[in-house]
Amino acid sequence: MVSLRVIASALGVETADVELRALCNDTRKVTTGSLFIALKGLNFDARKEIGNAIKAGAVAVIYEDTGDGFVPDMENYDVPCIGVPGLAEKQSLVASAFYGCPSAGLDLIGVTGTNGKSTITHLIATWLTALGRKTGILGTLGTGFYPNLIPCANTTLAAIDLERTISELSNDGAKAIAMEVSSHGIALKRVSELKFKIAAFTNLSRDHLDFHKTMKNYAETKFQLMKSVLPEMCVINADDSTGVEFISRIPEALTYSKQGLYGGRGIYAHDIVYYPHGINFKVSGSYGDAEFTIPLIGSFNVDNVLCAIGVLLLCGYSLKEMEKTAGVLRAVTGRMECFSNKNTPLLIVDYAHTPDGLEKALAAVKEHKFGKITCICGCGGDRDTGKRPEMAAIACGMADHVIFTNDNPRTENPDSIIEMMLAGVKDCSNYEVVKDRRSAIEVAFSKSVPGDVLLIAGKGHEDYQIIGKTKYHYSDREVAMELTGDRK
């Protein structure tokens, strides 16, 4: 149990003491002995549920004091009730105090950037575990120990769930955690109390401008993670322009590149050879030399492996140790994941949902010199609209044939989303529109032969499609397995 005064002290307030058994901000999850966090959201004011939370077993309440004059009706309740201004952004502080700052007791590795976070965190966790350091995962594909992950709603969990999950992973034997850190998670202060040991930056390209408004704001938000660790514990991509700018501000960082050694300390890949279902390359630099063969597709996966290598170097492992254990690495679910048999074209399912991500995915396919390339893609609704014509133009410019289809239209009109995409390809003729996503893949499959490639972009690991406000079961991976008979 935890003393309420421990949490009150962290918030800089005084209160009567009580022993706490649980922490929650959802009245449906209140149990006996809970501390209830009551926030005022855009669509729901949990402060109005304080009475119900106490009836359900809450023994203390901390509510958001927004200055709007709200005062809880505590006449019939005898529990501590504390008003705290800015409570939404202080949830990480409350959760860290409640769970005893669990991140301080292990090696927490944060990976941020627009693309590559999921693959890199999985590479790190798989590799570290193979080297004897049990490593958990927190990110888009779920939480836990690979491959037994529990799905989660956001790339970076809400602060209370995040601290609780880290505590649980630590109790289950994790010595390290590889964590995707989203720009939303940083900006909303979900990670403000986490004690990162290593921070890695992958790249920056257009995404989330509906939230950050400008690329400068987006980049600066990412940089906050770099500032949270010692300068020499940063790993930064020197082939990315934003990465170069970050390195200028943190010259002590370990850099990685495919162009050669950059800065005072780093690694680089060279002699890269792309095979139909894998890549071979050598790594040199400040830490010696090694050679790696990986069953992954695309030059960006060389970047991903380099980033993982940089992190493992900072964890104390040598290139030679990594070279000997690289055989454990595998494609991550829904990230350039391949499905085929000898009688079918190759189907590649990828999460690429940004212009940069789609361009890199298509470039990856072209590097491996397959036959005709068909790209099936769409754009999500209620998200950045500016990227839609850009993505369409990239698809038509790089693929032999393109089928535009629905992604997660959410509350937008699916036809309007596709029309915005088509605005970017007015001078192109190598595309068609098949709105139903399964049908789009089936049409592309029927027009392809062994040796051809279908890149199915946008949804990756997701096993649902959001139409309106309803989430329906749907999986690109399942369709790919049905068509090829390749059961992973």
Side-chain angles (χ1 to χ4, degrees):
M1 292 191 292
V2 179
S3 166
L4 176 61
R5 281 184 177 163
V6 170
I7 295 173
S9 176
L11 291 169
V13 298
E14 295 184 0
T15 180
D17 202 13
V18 64
E19 293 298 315
L20 307 171
R21 295 178 180 273
L23 175 67
C24 65
N25 56 10
D26 186 335
T27 52
R28 296 168 296 182
K29 298 179 181 179
V30 172
T31 56
T32 301
S34 292
L35 167 62
F36 179 57
I37 306 296
L39 302 172
K40 184 181 185 301
L42 292 175
N43 301 311
F44 181 73
D45 190 346
R47 300 176 305 177
K48 297 178 180 178
E49 297 296 321
I50 289 175
N52 290 329
I54 295 171
K55 290 177 182 177
V59 294
V61 175
I62 299 178
Y63 69 93
E64 188 166 20
D65 181 357
T66 62
D68 60 357
F70 174 86
V71 177
D73 179 9
M74 301 299 292
E75 182 177 345
N76 300 314
Y77 307 111
D78 184 23
V79 304
C81 190
I82 308 167
V84 177
L87 180 59
E89 294 187 345
K90 295 177 181 176
Q91 287 185 93
S92 182
L93 181 64
V94 172
S96 180
F98 181 86
Y99 289 105
C101 194
S103 60
L106 42 73
D107 292 338
L108 183 61
I109 301 158
V111 180
T112 197
T114 305
N115 297 307
K117 297 187 296 296
S118 294
T119 295
I120 292 166
T121 51
H122 281 249
L123 293 174
I124 291 169
T126 301
W127 224 336
L128 282 177
T129 300
L131 286 163
R133 189 178 300 189
K134 188 175 182 181
T135 303
I137 294 173
L138 284 167
T140 306
L141 301 184
T143 65
F145 299 100
Y146 193 79
N148 302 311
L149 302 179
I150 300 171
C152 54
N154 301 306
T155 297
T156 304
L157 293 170
I160 292 174
D161 296 327
L162 186 54
E163 295 280 358
R164 173 183 51 78
T165 302
I166 292 174
S167 178
E168 291 171 349
L169 290 173
S170 179
N171 291 338
D172 288 339
K175 302 302 180 185
I177 294 177
M179 175 182 170
E180 295 182 53
V181 184
S182 69
S183 56
H184 287 72
I186 298 170
L188 297 174
K189 300 189 182 301
R190 295 173 185 167
V191 301
S192 61
E193 294 300 313
L194 297 186
K195 308 304 179 186
F196 290 98
K197 178 180 179 181
I198 299 170
F201 173 77
T202 65
N203 51 65
L204 199 81
S205 61
R206 179 171 181 146
D207 202 12
H208 304 309
L209 293 192
D210 52 330
F211 181 82
H212 295 289
K213 307 305 179 186
T214 69
M215 290 297 292
K216 181 179 179 180
N217 291 341
Y218 185 28
E220 198 58 35
T221 301
K222 296 288 189 184
F223 190 69
Q224 298 308 304
L225 179 65
M226 302 294 108
K227 290 169 59 178
S228 71
V229 303
L230 295 172
E232 61 271 20
M233 301 305 285
C234 292
V235 179
I236 301 178
N237 181 6
D239 292 340
D240 179 82
S241 59
T242 301
V244 170
E245 196 270 329
F246 285 1
I247 294 166
S248 72
R249 298 164 71 178
I250 311 176
E252 302 92 338
L254 189 159
T255 67
Y256 66 92
S257 171
K258 297 198 299 286
Q259 309 302 319
L261 187 61
Y262 188 97
R265 183 174 64 124
I267 54 175
Y268 66 97
H270 56 99
D271 294 324
I272 304 171
V273 181
Y274 300 96
Y275 297 103
H277 292 85
I279 311 168
N280 179 268
F281 60 95
K282 296 177 181 177
V283 174
S284 300
S286 305
Y287 296 85
D289 303 282
E291 185 171 351
F292 298 88
T293 298
I294 56 173
L296 304 175
I297 299 293
S299 64
F300 59 82
N301 268 318
V302 177
D303 295 322
N304 292 337
V305 174
L306 283 173
C307 185
I309 289 172
V311 168
L312 266 66
L313 287 169
L314 295 186
C315 287
Y317 296 97
S318 69
L319 282 178
K320 289 301 181 184
E321 287 176 296
M322 287 179 253
E323 183 182 62
K324 292 176 182 178
T325 53
V328 302
L329 303 181
R330 294 288 183 272
V332 176
T333 301
R335 300 302 193 274
M336 295 302 285
E337 188 178 12
C338 299
F339 300 85
S340 70
N341 66 52
K342 63 181 180 180
N343 298 315
T344 71
L346 176 68
L347 276 61
I348 301 178
V349 174
D350 191 63
Y351 191 52
H353 61 284
T354 66
D356 181 67
L358 184 61
E359 183 175 9
K360 287 181 176 177
L362 284 164
V365 173
K366 295 170 80 72
E367 285 166 340
H368 289 260
K369 296 179 172 59
F370 293 108
K372 184 182 75 172
I373 300 171
T374 301
C375 177
I376 301 101
C377 65
C379 285
D382 301 334
R383 297 294 187 270
D384 180 8
T385 60
K387 68 181 183 182
R388 295 171 184 174
E390 290 184 30
M391 290 183 65
I394 288 168
C396 286
M398 299 185 71
D400 298 301
H401 187 65
V402 178
I403 300 181
F404 295 119
T405 188
N406 290 336
D407 190 284
N408 290 323
R410 298 184 177 87
T411 62
E412 277 195 74
N413 184 328
D415 293 346
S416 298
I417 296 173
I418 290 178
E419 285 299 319
M420 289 184 194
M421 296 187 74
L422 296 182
V425 291
K426 292 179 179 179
D427 298 326
C428 299
S429 59
N430 61 329
Y431 70 84
E432 60 184 303
V433 175
V434 180
K435 297 175 185 177
D436 179 75
R437 195 168 179 93
R438 172 184 283 272
S439 297
I441 297 170
E442 291 174 343
V443 167
F445 187 82
S446 69
K447 295 180 179 180
S448 302
V449 300
D452 291 345
V453 177
L454 278 61
L455 176 66
I456 308 168
K459 294 185 63 59
H461 65 285
E462 293 178 351
D463 60 359
Y464 58 83
Q465 191 169 31
I466 304 173
I467 302 173
K469 294 185 178 180
T470 303
K471 183 182 286 189
Y472 298 91
H473 179 79
Y474 170 81
S475 168
D476 286 343
R477 300 179 70 252
E478 290 177 6
V479 176
M481 284 188 271
E482 290 172 14
L483 292 175
T484 63
D486 184 355
R487 301 282 174 178
K488 292 294 179 183

